[in-house]
Amino acid sequence: MLEVIDKGGPTATHITPLLFVHGAFHGAWCWDDHFLDYFADRGYRALALNLRGHGGSPSAVPINACGVFDYVQDVHTVAAELPVPPVVIGHSMGGFVVQKYLAVHDAPAGVLVASAPPTGIAPATVRVAWRHRRQSVRTRSFSRPLDFFAAPGVSRATFYHSATPEEIVTACTSRLGAESARVLYRDLLYRHLARPKRVTTPVLVLGAELDGFFTPREVAATARAYRTEPVMFPDMGHNMMLERGWESVADRIDQWLAATLS
């Protein structure tokens, strides 16, 4: 019963569908604003799911009881219903979910967009908490992470860069939803890290030079783990699919897919 936004359809040149996986606090909406129409217009079937407990996707347990393997299962549930295995594209936490998915499931290709590194998010968590330590101690950041990440100033500094128009930041911050503390503060910190050596799928690694979560050095390390080179975008923050200049990110994915799937 997962909620899925499904646009476009397979064409003679693009038989393989694209399945987009959102990051923490986000939902399928973050792909629907720009990317789904972009790829549908280019002849792809483009789908974005809401992971359980996000958007209109139900969860049988409170969201804090959901683990990263639950999210991996959600991706598999949607992928298994498609006529052919999809390319899986994940942002941030969703990129980590994609890494875990690719370690156990076949896919023609994978794309990591400002993704959490395979080694986990401990360094990023410490950086963000220290940078916003006043907000961190004032909110129930461990039991209700959204209280911290949606706090004034924190959302802009982590998801966007300083030149992003305020209307974009405000509109997107208003749509943030609850996220699993178990996923953020256990699974992605130390418990269930990714295993790149198990992934044989070709992977494209994209990063933003002004990312408030993951540094260019961490993006480069992620690319090395998947035996490739990173593609970095200047003047862009963490939410690469929503920032001004998102078209250049989509163009790069489109170009890479054309070469990889041919």
Side-chain angles (χ1 to χ4, degrees), residues 99-115:
Q99 295 173 60
K100 299 291 286 184
Y101 174 88
L102 292 176
V104 293
H105 296 290
D106 292 329
V111 180
L112 307 181
V113 182
S115 174

Side-chain angles (χ1 to χ4, degrees), residues 25-191:
F25 311 106
H26 289 62
W29 59 265
C30 73
W31 300 111
D32 192 30
D33 279 9
H34 304 299
F35 270 44
L36 296 188
D37 287 330
Y38 173 98
F39 285 99
D41 289 344
R42 281 155 181 77
Y44 288 96
R45 182 181 179 186
L47 309 94
L49 80 156
N50 275 312
L51 299 169
R52 67 184 67 188
H54 299 75
S57 292
S59 175
V61 298
I63 194 163
N64 277 349
C66 294
V68 69
F69 288 113
D70 295 320
Y71 293 168
V72 172
Q73 179 59 46
D74 291 343
V75 175
H76 175 61
T77 295
V78 176
E81 295 176 351
L82 299 174
V84 296
V87 172
V88 282
I89 303 169
H91 172 254
S92 195
M93 179 196 75
F96 191 90
V97 172
V98 165
Q99 295 173 60
K100 299 291 286 184
Y101 174 88
L102 292 176
V104 293
H105 296 290
D106 292 329
V111 180
L112 307 181
V113 182
S115 174
T119 51
I121 64 171
T125 301
V126 171
R127 281 195 303 268
V128 173
W130 177 251
R131 190 181 302 135
H132 304 285
R133 50 194 176 277
R134 290 185 179 181
Q135 292 93 332
S136 181
V137 299
R138 291 175 181 172
T139 61
R140 292 179 289 175
S141 58
F142 286 100
S143 61
R144 290 172 53 93
L146 178 64
D147 289 358
F148 172 69
F149 283 97
V154 177
S155 177
R156 169 179 280 280
T158 50
F159 295 120
Y160 304 94
H161 76 91
S162 58
T164 303
E166 186 59 34
E167 59 267 23
I168 294 178
V169 178
T170 300
C172 295
T173 301
S174 68
R175 292 185 285 180
L176 297 180
E179 189 50 71
S180 169
R182 175 181 172 183
V183 169
L184 295 180
Y185 301 138
R186 191 192 75 163
D187 293 355
L188 271 66
L189 275 183
Y190 66 91
R191 185 67 178 272

